[in-house]
Amino acid sequence: MNYVIIGNSVAAVGAIRGIRGVDDKGNITVISRERHIAYGRPLISYLLGGLITEKRMAYLPEDFYEKNRVNLLLDAEVVGVDSTRKQVKLAAGDTIGYDRLLVATGGDPFVPPIEGLAGKERIFTFTTWDDAEKLKGIAADMERVVVIGGGLIGLKAAEGIHLLGKQITIVELADRILSAAFDRPAGRVVAKKMKANGIDVITEDTVVRIEGEGARISGVTLKSGDYISCDTVVVAIGVRPAAGFLKGSTVDVNRGIVVNDTMETSVKGIYAAGDVAEASDFFSGQKNPMPIWPDAYIQGDVAGTAMAGGKKTYGGGLAMNSIELFKVPTISMGITNPLEPKEFDILTYQDMENYQYRKIVLQDNRLVGAVLVGQVDRAGIFSGLIREKVDVTPFKEQLLAPDFGIIHLTKEIRNTLFAPYGKVA
Amino acid sequence: MKRIYTIEDACIGCHLCEVGCITEHSQSKDPVRAFLHEPVRSISRCTVEELDGGVISLSTTCRHCDEPDCLRACISGAIQKNDAGVVRIDTEQCVGCWSCVMACPYGAVQRNLAKKKANKCDLCPDRKSPACVDACPNRALVYKEGSQK
Ligand SMILES: Cc1cc2nc3c(=O)[nH]c(=O)nc-3n(C[C@H](O)[C@H](O)[C@H](O)COP(=O)(O)OP(=O)(O)OC[C@H]3O[C@@H](n4cnc5c(N)ncnc54)[C@H](O)[C@@H]3O)c2cc1C
Ligand code: SF4
Ligand code: SF4
């Protein structure tokens, strides 16, 4: 059996382990257009800010590829897939045949056509190790930076640049930063901390024109008419599934590559996992992209297992983010900001002075979401309660307690978790 | 694989498992030095929880899961499962992002705020049986072959 995996990041790693869990004979070929072996993509802001060295970028133990007998092709871009001949085509011209194909190509940063952007030199995106390297390379004569987009990637870029001692303004279209994961109070806590650190956060506005002569940037003009002077712009508006090379194939692509609950696409033998895929959502079952690291791993594992003939099904994507910004830890998961609050039972605790906030979202006595700011310890217990759809009625009053723990669950739940073999022998 | 099981009815809430764990993961491996004299006291990897003033208590710890959620969430690759099934954190590699804290359904990863590193049970690589199990005076913790749940 010949397995070919396009992309060499976390979804690919989950898939390699998934395949090898079932089939230790088949040939695995991994193709990546990057020149690095798998690295912690979320670590690029740590690298930029000088918090870690290059050595610590490596995501895997050194012997991983060898131990799993992976044929790794770096610096090789796939430009086409021929599902009839079962071949992928590389930019260099050669083709590689497959029996099972996994598309784990993640997302490409999206750069909208902003006036004045074309031809400017210091416009960056921030999704790869090389992006971080480039920004670091010009750090010496960078002074003021505008980051367009206050989502996860924009904030991470801002944090890295801030650590380099530069002035930053974040421009966000929504009414708060991190609107996808946070509700208003949580967004406010973090924005407050950022402002305290000297970072300007402008909301409900956007960049309409990049100013400057020739390749040089002198500033940006906002929709509101405001002008911010700067010499560098980071565009972090979002990522789009990196599936362009599937054009002309019969693989069904919506907002991502549409997959079933074994991660198989509309074409038999072709699978997709990670940021590029659109799989079912944990709550609604509707197809949804879920561009987070843990989910990419899980999808990769499911795909790899299925490709090798094993059985595992995807339990649905559950959003979860652990983001520490300017020393305020935050963890959010599930439904944090329901559109129809009436259908939910929402508990909150707030202490803005001390950067503390907790929110619990319940539906039909089941936990469906949580936001923790400040005190985030043992947050995972909540993710377990969400996934297992546990009825929280007996301990609902305790859910907001900062020391909420296993002991607050019922003995029955605890016994299934910890002591399957009855009482003391 | 061998795992640590909690028998809550036998737990007397004495916290000696935590003392054992902290001592084992100290520099001196001596309880008094570990608690009083070492510059940074290590953080216990097992957690004794109490309710109703100690009427109910139990010690919780890592399950060394078959499919560890902590490992899958870890953005730096610091968490790996070895061939024997033991799930460990490479503290050097850890960046303190708390993704593992977010993901572990057992609440078994601690935050070491002084070092900004995650902390979890390593099943005591230098011992035959984990320190917490050996420290428990009432055998409320047992170390034996068994499944995750
Ligand atoms: C700055 C930053 C911070 C982040 N922080 C977090 C965080 O804290 N927590 C979290 O959960 N998530 C975070 N994310 C998101 C997380 O990194 C992604 O969800 C995750 O990397 C997705 O993994 P993946 O394997 O699907 O794809 P990716 O990691 O995107 O990897 C895909 C790979 O495929 C390669 N590729 C693409 N097309 C081709 C082609 N045609 N031929 C060959 N190779 C190709 C790409 O170059 C890339 O190397 C962050 C992302 C960024 C950019
Ligand atoms: S830390 Fe939690 S998720 Fe990780 S192996 Fe232990 S119990 Fe499982
Ligand atoms: S805190 Fe450390 S061990 Fe935990 S997920 Fe982050 S990098 Fe991995």
Side-chain angles (χ1 to χ4, degrees):
Chain A
M1 181 72 80
N2 286 312
Y3 304 97
V4 171
I5 301 175
I6 316 175
N8 176 37
S9 186
V10 58
V13 171
I16 294 166
R17 290 202 175 119
I19 293 170
R20 284 293 177 237
V22 182
D23 174 1
D24 54 28
K25 292 212 183 59
N27 300 314
I28 304 180
T29 302
V30 172
I31 309 167
S32 170
R33 66 178 175 197
E34 291 197 66
R35 57 195 173 92
H36 306 281
I37 56 164
Y39 60 91
R41 187 168 309 286
L43 301 193
I44 62 173
S45 60
Y46 296 71
L47 183 72
L48 174 62
L51 293 176
I52 60 168
T53 57
E54 290 200 347
K55 195 176 139 254
R56 281 172 59 194
M57 289 298 285
Y59 172 60
L60 296 165
E62 252 171 61
D63 60 355
F64 177 85
Y65 294 102
E66 200 190 317
K67 217 171 155 180
N68 288 289
R69 280 160 290 115
V70 173
N71 172 23
L72 182 61
L73 302 180
L74 294 179
D75 221 345
E77 179 161 8
V78 171
V79 291
V81 172
D82 182 338
S83 57
T84 325
R85 290 208 197 117
K86 294 197 157 192
Q87 280 179 343
V88 300
K89 191 162 173 252
L90 300 186
D94 24 352
T95 55
I96 297 174
Y98 65 82
D99 299 307
R100 299 277 184 281
L101 176 68
L102 175 66
V103 181
T105 46
D108 279 330
F110 172 63
V111 181
I114 303 170
E115 196 187 324
L117 182 144
K120 292 285 181 298
E121 203 177 305
R122 289 191 174 182
I123 305 270
F124 296 90
T125 54
F126 193 64
T127 58
T128 67
W129 184 339
D130 288 351
D131 290 341
E133 211 99 286
K134 277 186 224 151
L135 273 165
K136 219 177 166 127
I138 62 151
D141 63 349
M142 165 162 92
E143 262 165 40
R144 297 194 56 129
V145 184
V146 166
V147 175
I148 309 178
L152 175 62
I153 296 176
L155 295 191
K156 283 286 173 182
E159 192 180 40
I161 297 166
H162 175 75
L163 286 167
L164 295 173
K166 311 297 173 189
Q167 283 233 10
I168 299 158
T169 305
I170 297 171
V171 184
E172 165 61 48
L173 190 58
D175 66 348
R176 61 184 183 278
I177 52 171
L178 272 176
S179 55
F182 283 178
D183 62 350
R184 230 167 249 134
R188 229 184 292 134
V189 179
V190 176
K192 183 177 161 212
K193 190 75 185 190
M194 298 188 72
K195 283 190 182 135
N197 275 278
I199 293 188
D200 280 333
V201 182
I202 297 173
T203 52
E204 293 175 274
D205 211 343
T206 189
V207 171
V208 290
R209 198 165 53 244
I210 310 229
E211 314 285 357
E213 269 171 37
R216 224 183 43 94
I217 296 173
S218 58
V220 298
T221 299
L222 304 185
K223 191 163 182 206
S224 60
D226 285 356
Y227 173 83
I228 307 165
S229 83
C230 66
D231 50 69
T232 306
V233 172
V234 177
V235 184
I237 289 182
V239 293
R240 295 280 158 91
F245 60 90
L246 288 175
K247 224 178 244 149
S249 80
T250 49
V251 176
D252 189 8
V253 185
N254 186 22
R255 278 185 302 160
I257 303 174
V258 184
V259 292
N260 66 16
D261 61 5
T262 64
M263 299 295 133
E264 192 163 21
T265 67
S266 57
V267 176
K268 222 174 146 5
I270 301 185
Y271 295 73
D275 282 12
V276 77
E278 189 182 289
S280 57
D281 181 78
F282 178 80
F283 298 106
S284 66
Q286 277 164 8
K287 307 277 178 191
N288 235 347
M290 187 62 72
I292 55 169
W293 186 269
D295 216 56
Y297 191 109
I298 294 168
Q299 291 188 5
D301 174 49
V302 170
T305 307
M307 287 160 72
K311 273 213 163 58
K312 234 178 224 180
T313 44
Y314 184 59
L318 180 60
M320 50 170 85
N321 275 293
S322 172
I323 309 164
E324 185 163 314
L325 287 161
F326 301 95
K327 303 213 165 80
V328 181
T330 72
I331 288 180
S332 63
M333 56 181 76
I335 302 170
T336 55
N337 216 10
L339 286 176
E340 298 283 343
K342 278 202 201 84
E343 293 168 20
F344 297 82
D345 200 355
I346 296 174
L347 318 170
T348 56
Y349 167 84
Q350 203 166 315
D351 174 3
M352 286 292 176
E353 280 295 272
N354 296 303
Y355 302 106
Q356 298 287 328
Y357 176 64
R358 291 171 89 77
K359 177 182 193 175
I360 298 288
V361 184
L362 305 169
Q363 189 178 30
D364 302 327
N365 295 317
R366 305 282 192 273
L367 185 68
V368 293
V371 183
L372 307 176
V373 178
Q375 168 67 277
V376 298
D377 293 302
R378 311 195 89 191
I381 297 175
F382 293 136
S383 72
L385 293 174
I386 296 176
R387 278 201 208 279
E388 300 295 327
K389 302 192 166 99
V390 172
D391 184 344
V392 301
T393 312
F395 47 89
K396 188 174 150 187
E397 304 306 317
Q398 273 79 48
L399 286 168
L400 273 184
D403 66 344
F404 179 78
I406 300 287
I407 199 135
H408 298 106
L409 312 178
T410 63
K411 192 162 183 185
E412 192 193 339
I413 301 172
R414 281 202 298 277
N415 279 343
T416 50
L417 287 177
F418 290 110
Y421 304 113
K423 302 280 174 276
V424 196
Chain B
M1 70 176 289
K2 272 186 153 178
R3 291 179 161 93
I4 300 167
Y5 295 95
T6 300
I7 292 144
E8 68 172 88
D9 289 350
C11 178
I12 56 173
C14 65
H15 295 255
L16 283 174
C17 49
E18 295 178 348
V19 176
C21 180
I22 289 170
T23 306
E24 177 64 20
H25 295 94
S26 68
Q27 276 164 20
S28 60
K29 304 215 174 188
D30 173 87
V32 177
R33 284 206 195 129
F35 275 74
L36 288 182
H37 305 307
E38 290 187 10
V40 199
R41 189 194 293 180
S42 63
I43 289 183
S44 177
R45 290 128 207 261
C46 51
T47 309
V48 178
E49 299 181 30
E50 292 176 43
L51 205 62
D52 301 338
V55 174
I56 313 174
S57 65
L58 74 143
S59 175
T60 61
T61 188
C62 167
R63 311 313 302 151
H64 295 275
C65 302
D66 299 326
E67 296 182 345
D69 286 311
C70 59
L71 182 156
R72 296 163 161 222
C74 177
I75 60 171
S76 75
I79 303 182
Q80 297 292 334
K81 192 172 176 70
N82 70 15
D83 293 338
V86 183
V87 179
R88 294 210 173 103
I89 296 182
D90 173 351
T91 310
E92 273 295 297
Q93 182 67 12
C94 170
V95 295
C97 70
W98 318 133
S99 296
C100 48
V101 173
M102 161 186 82
C104 170
Y106 297 95
V109 186
Q110 301 79 32
R111 292 190 298 152
N112 185 337
L113 293 175
K115 295 190 180 151
K116 204 169 184 302
K117 300 280 185 181
N119 188 81
K120 70 175 277 303
C121 168
D122 56 6
L123 285 181
C124 295
D126 302 339
R127 302 173 66 101
K128 268 177 75 184
S129 140
C132 54
V133 174
D134 291 350
C136 181
N138 202 28
R139 279 192 281 166
L141 292 172
V142 285
Y143 185 53
K144 61 176 187 183
E145 286 293 330
S147 60
Q148 177 188 326
K149 291 198 201 179

